[in-house]
Amino acid sequence: MTFTRDTALGVLRLTLVTVFLAFGYVKFFPFEADGVEPLIAAHPLLSWLLPAFGKAGASAFLGIVEITAGLLLLAGFRSRIASLTGGLLTLVTFAITVTLFLFIPRVFEASAGGFPAISGTGGFLLKDAVLFAAGLMFVADPLPASINSTALTTTTT
């Protein structure tokens, strides 16, 4: 079986859509609001959400952003603008979560000597570096080549 670049990008797109929709969905439940509250409080770009919306509202706000990113990426199968916008939102989302390494305690495991041994929290955040890179694909190349060639081809008579 041979995989094409377009197939790989399609699988990557669907994977990001699934990640965003799944993580966005759970942001509306108390268990997730409890879990993300310390992360929101620790990040200077997110901490304003807690006084503005409360714990549940801040979590729901993030859920709306994540679901929006997922839906934009899904629409990106057919729309260059949706793909680019979803890719940009992916970059912002995962850049913020990766930078949590700078703001929260215990991302490195003290019992293993600290850096470079990452903790469970550190590992959870580190995977977002890969998701950030995936977002770059949809900023750099918003649509599969087959759609790009069709959309960019013009005929002159």
Side-chain angles (χ1 to χ4, degrees):
M1 176 181 272
T2 304
F3 291 103
T4 66
R5 179 180 160 283
D6 288 352
T7 301
L9 283 173
V11 170
L12 183 61
R13 183 182 300 276
L14 285 175
T15 302
L16 274 176
V17 167
T18 302
V19 166
F20 273 124
L21 295 180
F23 278 97
Y25 171 74
V26 297
K27 293 288 189 300
F28 293 91
F29 293 94
F31 78 91
E32 182 68 6
D34 291 341
V36 298
E37 180 184 25
L39 302 177
I40 294 170
H43 202 291
L45 294 177
L46 299 178
S47 60
W48 65 272
L49 292 170
L50 291 170
F53 300 118
K55 178 175 57 174
S59 184
F61 177 88
L62 295 178
I64 290 167
V65 170
E66 291 171 342
I67 289 169
T68 300
L71 293 175
L72 284 166
L73 288 169
L74 184 62
F77 273 112
R78 292 288 176 213
S79 167
R80 177 181 300 277
I81 292 171
S83 184
L84 179 60
T85 306
L88 290 170
L89 196 50
T90 299
L91 293 181
V92 169
T93 299
F94 293 121
I96 289 172
T97 58
V98 167
T99 59
L100 276 164
F101 264 93
L102 304 171
F103 303 111
I104 63 171
R106 298 179 303 279
V107 293
F108 299 106
E109 185 55 52
S111 68
F115 180 82
I118 58 174
S119 67
T121 300
F124 177 75
L125 296 173
L126 188 58
K127 59 116 174 78
D128 287 356
V130 175
L131 295 168
F132 177 88
L136 280 174
M137 293 301 299
F138 299 107
V139 172
D141 188 19
L143 290 176
S146 60
I147 296 173
N148 282 337
S149 62
T150 304
L152 298 176
T153 303
T154 58
T155 57
T156 56
T157 54

